[in-house]
Amino acid sequence: MTKMIFPENFVWGAATASYQIEGAVSEDGRGESVWDRFAHTPGKIKNGDTGDVACDHYHRYKQDVALMKEIGLSGYRFSLAWPRLFPKGTGRPNPKGVDFYNSLIDELLAAGIEPAITLNHWDLPQALQELGGWMKRDTIEFFLEYADFAFETFGDRVKKWITHNEPAVIAFNGYLFGDHAPGLKDPAAALRVAHNLLVSHGKTVARYRELGQEGEIGIAPNLVHVCPATDSPEDQVAARVYDGFQNRWFLDPVFRGAYPQDMLDLYTEMGIAPPIEAGDLEWLAQNPVDFLGINYYTRSIVKKAAGESLLNLGFEHVGSEDPQAAFTEMNWEIFPQGLYDVLVRVTRDYQAPCIYITENGAAFKDEICQDGVIIDEDRIDYLKAHFSAAHRALQDGVRLAGYYVWTLMDNFEWALGYTKRFGLFGVDNDTQERIWKKSAQWYRQVIKDHGVQG
Ligand code: FCB
């Protein structure tokens, strides 16, 4: 491995999300979220796991910030639990929720760690879901109220904001595939949700500017590097459609204020295009982001579909035929070149002004423990290879300003419960003990050296 040194002010971070780590779901006035409801529905989550306790971060945040300080993080990306601040989604804020995030932010700042807040990492208040949730335009207004409150309350100290985490996952896993909350399988609803998320993003950016906040705001889509399975024209078309479904449907509105015409035509033909009101996309065009957050994990290999599917867009996924291919515990192919390609692509096609990798990391078995440290060489290799791809992109002119590793500590991995471990630190689910992994020690050295010293 050759030496790779990153710029002096590069943000070395780690990321988490409220429902995955906080626990304390019924404490201090927190309201129910869609994920509480979903996780408590029998059969939805592996082993019947829930986020009721998670990493108990609500009570242990000081200890967790101390660990972040020990590895030298310069940035920490976390999300606010909307129902902890507004138990019913709207109305009067919950003072205890406000106290919690104030304390967390102050603790981070005292440790020299810059907070980056995600407003929506999926835990919508259940009370709003009952009114139709993201399928309804009212939720856009409720989200704006909540965002406004968050900016006014925390914006004096927090200078990096992300509106939505992975809008495609909210829309498609929640409303099309049904494996995430709220568990629907309705293509038209999914596209309506995606649209409302995008419109709310544009309006929130506008509100952030109106308030005269001095900071940066962006969005964090999950971008997939799409490869056609073969050179055949059919597979090329399938890959193009999949890219439209997964990437362009979100990037085009954010950067160009318009949906990609090929996809809009397809959805219109299928009768599932979302209703678009006058001004909706203008909000997006007139309010450019300060940065694009990219969550990147793997690539997708796509070919022409052999049969019917829920959406019938004519693509299907196939596994890698590369004999050298390696996979994580999620069965995701390890493909660092895809990160490079995605970074170059958003720079070339969308002129992304500034980019943060807002999530990248890997789940492995983590079975070997020596002298109290989990020996996770495979995670170190994964991160090293992806840092190297990011470094190459930087050298090739991509304006990459930081990297948030997913994730600080093992946590509730949505539908997969506690079975998948992505953390730099392990967590003993019975005792809540935080356990060092070799990757955390390695990352500490990377941060100290501003990169990898050969
Ligand atoms: C992303 C999510 C994040 C985490 C990782 C593994 O899709 O944003 O919360 O679950 O995947």
mmCIF file of all heavy atoms in Angstrom, residues 17 20 77 121-122 165-166 169 222 295 297 330 332 359 406 411-414 422, ligand 1:
data_model
loop_
_atom_site.group_PDB
_atom_site.id
_atom_site.type_symbol
_atom_site.label_atom_id
_atom_site.label_comp_id
_atom_site.label_asym_id
_atom_site.label_seq_id
_atom_site.Cartn_x
_atom_site.Cartn_y
_atom_site.Cartn_z
ATOM 1 N N ALA A 17 -26.932 6.776 13.922
ATOM 2 C CA ALA A 17 -28.311 7.258 13.756
ATOM 3 C C ALA A 17 -29.072 6.999 15.045
ATOM 4 O O ALA A 17 -28.842 5.984 15.720
ATOM 5 C CB ALA A 17 -28.989 6.523 12.609
ATOM 6 N N GLN A 20 -30.786 3.687 15.962
ATOM 7 C CA GLN A 20 -29.870 2.554 16.005
ATOM 8 C C GLN A 20 -29.034 2.497 17.286
ATOM 9 O O GLN A 20 -28.497 1.442 17.614
ATOM 10 C CB GLN A 20 -28.945 2.604 14.791
ATOM 11 C CG GLN A 20 -29.711 2.401 13.487
ATOM 12 C CD GLN A 20 -28.801 2.382 12.260
ATOM 13 O OE1 GLN A 20 -28.454 3.427 11.735
ATOM 14 N NE2 GLN A 20 -28.414 1.205 11.813
ATOM 15 N N ARG A 77 -21.096 12.481 12.981
ATOM 16 C CA ARG A 77 -22.408 12.648 12.357
ATOM 17 C C ARG A 77 -23.415 11.799 13.123
ATOM 18 O O ARG A 77 -23.216 10.587 13.270
ATOM 19 C CB ARG A 77 -22.331 12.184 10.893
ATOM 20 C CG ARG A 77 -23.677 12.112 10.236
ATOM 21 C CD ARG A 77 -23.640 11.580 8.801
ATOM 22 N NE ARG A 77 -25.008 11.509 8.335
ATOM 23 C CZ ARG A 77 -25.559 10.463 7.731
ATOM 24 N NH1 ARG A 77 -24.842 9.387 7.456
ATOM 25 N NH2 ARG A 77 -26.831 10.487 7.375
ATOM 26 N N HIS A 121 -33.093 10.561 9.940
ATOM 27 C CA HIS A 121 -32.513 9.231 9.681
ATOM 28 C C HIS A 121 -33.581 8.191 10.031
ATOM 29 O O HIS A 121 -33.384 7.321 10.858
ATOM 30 C CB HIS A 121 -31.212 9.037 10.464
ATOM 31 C CG HIS A 121 -30.298 7.995 9.889
ATOM 32 N ND1 HIS A 121 -28.970 8.232 9.574
ATOM 33 C CD2 HIS A 121 -30.515 6.698 9.549
ATOM 34 C CE1 HIS A 121 -28.419 7.126 9.093
ATOM 35 N NE2 HIS A 121 -29.346 6.172 9.070
ATOM 36 N N TRP A 122 -34.767 8.431 9.465
ATOM 37 C CA TRP A 122 -35.844 7.436 9.346
ATOM 38 C C TRP A 122 -36.848 7.327 10.488
ATOM 39 O O TRP A 122 -37.896 6.690 10.321
ATOM 40 C CB TRP A 122 -35.286 6.041 9.053
ATOM 41 C CG TRP A 122 -34.313 5.979 7.919
ATOM 42 C CD1 TRP A 122 -34.012 6.974 7.027
ATOM 43 C CD2 TRP A 122 -33.523 4.852 7.525
ATOM 44 N NE1 TRP A 122 -33.084 6.531 6.119
ATOM 45 C CE2 TRP A 122 -32.765 5.237 6.395
ATOM 46 C CE3 TRP A 122 -33.383 3.548 8.024
ATOM 47 C CZ2 TRP A 122 -31.872 4.373 5.753
ATOM 48 C CZ3 TRP A 122 -32.493 2.688 7.387
ATOM 49 C CH2 TRP A 122 -31.747 3.097 6.270
ATOM 50 N N ASN A 165 -31.425 11.273 5.346
ATOM 51 C CA ASN A 165 -30.524 10.169 5.076
ATOM 52 C C ASN A 165 -31.206 9.187 4.126
ATOM 53 O O ASN A 165 -32.285 8.675 4.418
ATOM 54 C CB ASN A 165 -30.185 9.425 6.373
ATOM 55 C CG ASN A 165 -29.220 8.271 6.131
ATOM 56 O OD1 ASN A 165 -28.063 8.504 5.797
ATOM 57 N ND2 ASN A 165 -29.703 7.036 6.244
ATOM 58 N N GLU A 166 -30.572 8.956 2.988
ATOM 59 C CA GLU A 166 -31.000 7.922 2.041
ATOM 60 C C GLU A 166 -32.495 7.962 1.723
ATOM 61 O O GLU A 166 -33.240 7.023 2.049
ATOM 62 C CB GLU A 166 -30.609 6.537 2.562
ATOM 63 C CG GLU A 166 -29.117 6.423 2.836
ATOM 64 C CD GLU A 166 -28.639 5.009 3.134
ATOM 65 O OE1 GLU A 166 -29.480 4.127 3.359
ATOM 66 O OE2 GLU A 166 -27.420 4.783 3.116
ATOM 67 N N VAL A 169 -33.959 4.803 0.295
ATOM 68 C CA VAL A 169 -34.222 3.677 1.202
ATOM 69 C C VAL A 169 -35.536 3.905 1.953
ATOM 70 O O VAL A 169 -36.338 2.990 2.131
ATOM 71 C CB VAL A 169 -33.028 3.455 2.160
ATOM 72 C CG1 VAL A 169 -33.366 2.433 3.229
ATOM 73 C CG2 VAL A 169 -31.808 3.001 1.369
ATOM 74 N N ASN A 222 -27.941 7.419 -0.677
ATOM 75 C CA ASN A 222 -27.085 6.251 -0.871
ATOM 76 C C ASN A 222 -26.880 6.120 -2.375
ATOM 77 O O ASN A 222 -27.849 6.007 -3.116
ATOM 78 C CB ASN A 222 -27.754 4.990 -0.316
ATOM 79 C CG ASN A 222 -29.172 4.812 -0.785
ATOM 80 O OD1 ASN A 222 -29.988 5.725 -0.645
ATOM 81 N ND2 ASN A 222 -29.490 3.665 -1.350
ATOM 82 N N ASN A 295 -23.444 8.124 0.824
ATOM 83 C CA ASN A 295 -23.328 6.862 1.548
ATOM 84 C C ASN A 295 -22.998 5.805 0.505
ATOM 85 O O ASN A 295 -23.772 5.598 -0.429
ATOM 86 C CB ASN A 295 -24.651 6.493 2.224
ATOM 87 C CG ASN A 295 -25.031 7.454 3.345
ATOM 88 O OD1 ASN A 295 -24.303 8.395 3.638
ATOM 89 N ND2 ASN A 295 -26.168 7.202 3.970
ATOM 90 N N TYR A 297 -21.524 1.785 -0.123
ATOM 91 C CA TYR A 297 -21.148 0.490 0.451
ATOM 92 C C TYR A 297 -20.667 -0.527 -0.579
ATOM 93 O O TYR A 297 -19.738 -1.267 -0.338
ATOM 94 C CB TYR A 297 -22.328 -0.110 1.228
ATOM 95 C CG TYR A 297 -22.592 0.632 2.504
ATOM 96 C CD1 TYR A 297 -23.524 1.668 2.554
ATOM 97 C CD2 TYR A 297 -21.876 0.342 3.657
ATOM 98 C CE1 TYR A 297 -23.739 2.382 3.726
ATOM 99 C CE2 TYR A 297 -22.084 1.052 4.835
ATOM 100 C CZ TYR A 297 -23.017 2.067 4.862
ATOM 101 O OH TYR A 297 -23.211 2.778 6.023
ATOM 102 N N MET A 330 -22.848 -8.683 5.058
ATOM 103 C CA MET A 330 -24.134 -8.308 4.470
ATOM 104 C C MET A 330 -24.292 -8.989 3.113
ATOM 105 O O MET A 330 -25.295 -8.784 2.433
ATOM 106 C CB MET A 330 -24.239 -6.800 4.263
ATOM 107 C CG MET A 330 -24.169 -5.971 5.522
ATOM 108 S SD MET A 330 -25.605 -6.160 6.595
ATOM 109 C CE MET A 330 -26.788 -5.067 5.835
ATOM 110 N N TRP A 332 -22.485 -8.091 0.712
ATOM 111 C CA TRP A 332 -22.226 -7.001 -0.225
ATOM 112 C C TRP A 332 -20.804 -7.165 -0.753
ATOM 113 O O TRP A 332 -19.862 -7.332 0.032
ATOM 114 C CB TRP A 332 -22.357 -5.639 0.479
ATOM 115 C CG TRP A 332 -23.756 -5.296 0.915
ATOM 116 C CD1 TRP A 332 -24.916 -5.887 0.511
ATOM 117 C CD2 TRP A 332 -24.142 -4.272 1.854
ATOM 118 N NE1 TRP A 332 -25.998 -5.286 1.127
ATOM 119 C CE2 TRP A 332 -25.546 -4.299 1.952
ATOM 120 C CE3 TRP A 332 -23.431 -3.335 2.611
ATOM 121 C CZ2 TRP A 332 -26.258 -3.433 2.783
ATOM 122 C CZ3 TRP A 332 -24.139 -2.460 3.434
ATOM 123 C CH2 TRP A 332 -25.544 -2.511 3.520
ATOM 124 N N GLU A 359 -21.267 8.022 4.863
ATOM 125 C CA GLU A 359 -21.250 6.664 5.406
ATOM 126 C C GLU A 359 -20.419 5.780 4.491
ATOM 127 O O GLU A 359 -20.597 5.801 3.274
ATOM 128 C CB GLU A 359 -22.657 6.039 5.462
ATOM 129 C CG GLU A 359 -23.535 6.548 6.560
ATOM 130 C CD GLU A 359 -24.896 5.843 6.608
ATOM 131 O OE1 GLU A 359 -25.012 4.684 6.161
ATOM 132 O OE2 GLU A 359 -25.841 6.481 7.093
ATOM 133 N N TRP A 406 -18.998 4.474 8.776
ATOM 134 C CA TRP A 406 -20.134 3.812 9.390
ATOM 135 C C TRP A 406 -19.631 2.543 10.038
ATOM 136 O O TRP A 406 -19.215 1.659 9.330
ATOM 137 C CB TRP A 406 -21.238 3.480 8.360
ATOM 138 C CG TRP A 406 -22.424 2.913 9.088
ATOM 139 C CD1 TRP A 406 -22.686 1.594 9.332
ATOM 140 C CD2 TRP A 406 -23.460 3.665 9.729
ATOM 141 N NE1 TRP A 406 -23.822 1.476 10.102
ATOM 142 C CE2 TRP A 406 -24.302 2.732 10.359
ATOM 143 C CE3 TRP A 406 -23.740 5.036 9.858
ATOM 144 C CZ2 TRP A 406 -25.431 3.118 11.094
ATOM 145 C CZ3 TRP A 406 -24.848 5.410 10.581
ATOM 146 C CH2 TRP A 406 -25.689 4.456 11.183
ATOM 147 N N ASN A 411 -24.482 -1.761 16.376
ATOM 148 C CA ASN A 411 -25.792 -1.232 16.786
ATOM 149 C C ASN A 411 -26.943 -1.982 16.117
ATOM 150 O O ASN A 411 -26.741 -3.018 15.482
ATOM 151 C CB ASN A 411 -25.854 0.281 16.511
ATOM 152 C CG ASN A 411 -25.641 0.610 15.040
ATOM 153 O OD1 ASN A 411 -26.158 -0.079 14.163
ATOM 154 N ND2 ASN A 411 -24.885 1.666 14.766
ATOM 155 N N PHE A 412 -28.124 -1.435 16.246
ATOM 156 C CA PHE A 412 -29.347 -2.038 15.706
ATOM 157 C C PHE A 412 -29.373 -1.817 14.191
ATOM 158 O O PHE A 412 -29.593 -0.697 13.730
ATOM 159 C CB PHE A 412 -30.563 -1.380 16.374
ATOM 160 C CG PHE A 412 -31.892 -1.856 15.844
ATOM 161 C CD1 PHE A 412 -32.443 -3.059 16.286
ATOM 162 C CD2 PHE A 412 -32.594 -1.107 14.914
ATOM 163 C CE1 PHE A 412 -33.673 -3.501 15.795
ATOM 164 C CE2 PHE A 412 -33.831 -1.544 14.427
ATOM 165 C CZ PHE A 412 -34.360 -2.742 14.865
ATOM 166 N N GLU A 413 -29.123 -2.894 13.450
ATOM 167 C CA GLU A 413 -29.032 -2.759 11.992
ATOM 168 C C GLU A 413 -30.412 -3.027 11.358
ATOM 169 O O GLU A 413 -30.630 -3.988 10.646
ATOM 170 C CB GLU A 413 -27.931 -3.689 11.457
ATOM 171 C CG GLU A 413 -27.735 -3.715 9.945
ATOM 172 C CD GLU A 413 -27.679 -2.357 9.260
ATOM 173 O OE1 GLU A 413 -27.122 -1.405 9.819
ATOM 174 O OE2 GLU A 413 -28.238 -2.250 8.156
ATOM 175 N N TRP A 414 -31.366 -2.151 11.677
ATOM 176 C CA TRP A 414 -32.695 -2.159 11.065
ATOM 177 C C TRP A 414 -33.309 -3.568 11.024
ATOM 178 O O TRP A 414 -33.334 -4.235 12.052
ATOM 179 C CB TRP A 414 -32.627 -1.485 9.682
ATOM 180 C CG TRP A 414 -31.957 -0.140 9.759
ATOM 181 C CD1 TRP A 414 -30.747 0.209 9.230
ATOM 182 C CD2 TRP A 414 -32.427 1.059 10.449
ATOM 183 N NE1 TRP A 414 -30.447 1.528 9.529
ATOM 184 C CE2 TRP A 414 -31.447 2.071 10.268
ATOM 185 C CE3 TRP A 414 -33.560 1.378 11.195
ATOM 186 C CZ2 TRP A 414 -31.583 3.355 10.808
ATOM 187 C CZ3 TRP A 414 -33.686 2.659 11.725
ATOM 188 C CH2 TRP A 414 -32.714 3.627 11.523
ATOM 189 N N PHE A 422 -21.167 -3.452 12.427
ATOM 190 C CA PHE A 422 -20.445 -2.498 11.575
ATOM 191 C C PHE A 422 -19.477 -1.615 12.364
ATOM 192 O O PHE A 422 -18.825 -0.748 11.799
ATOM 193 C CB PHE A 422 -21.449 -1.552 10.897
ATOM 194 C CG PHE A 422 -22.093 -2.042 9.631
ATOM 195 C CD1 PHE A 422 -23.273 -2.775 9.650
ATOM 196 C CD2 PHE A 422 -21.531 -1.745 8.389
ATOM 197 C CE1 PHE A 422 -23.887 -3.192 8.470
ATOM 198 C CE2 PHE A 422 -22.137 -2.158 7.204
ATOM 199 C CZ PHE A 422 -23.309 -2.880 7.245
HETATM 200 C C1 FCB B 1 -27.333 2.572 5.556
HETATM 201 C C2 FCB B 1 -28.012 3.295 6.687
HETATM 202 C C3 FCB B 1 -27.340 3.149 8.012
HETATM 203 C C4 FCB B 1 -26.796 1.744 8.216
HETATM 204 C C5 FCB B 1 -25.982 1.304 7.020
HETATM 205 C C6 FCB B 1 -25.373 -0.074 7.144
HETATM 206 O O1 FCB B 1 -28.262 2.265 4.587
HETATM 207 O O2 FCB B 1 -28.084 4.675 6.409
HETATM 208 O O3 FCB B 1 -28.241 3.532 9.006
HETATM 209 O O4 FCB B 1 -27.790 0.876 8.548
HETATM 210 O O5 FCB B 1 -26.765 1.353 5.867
#
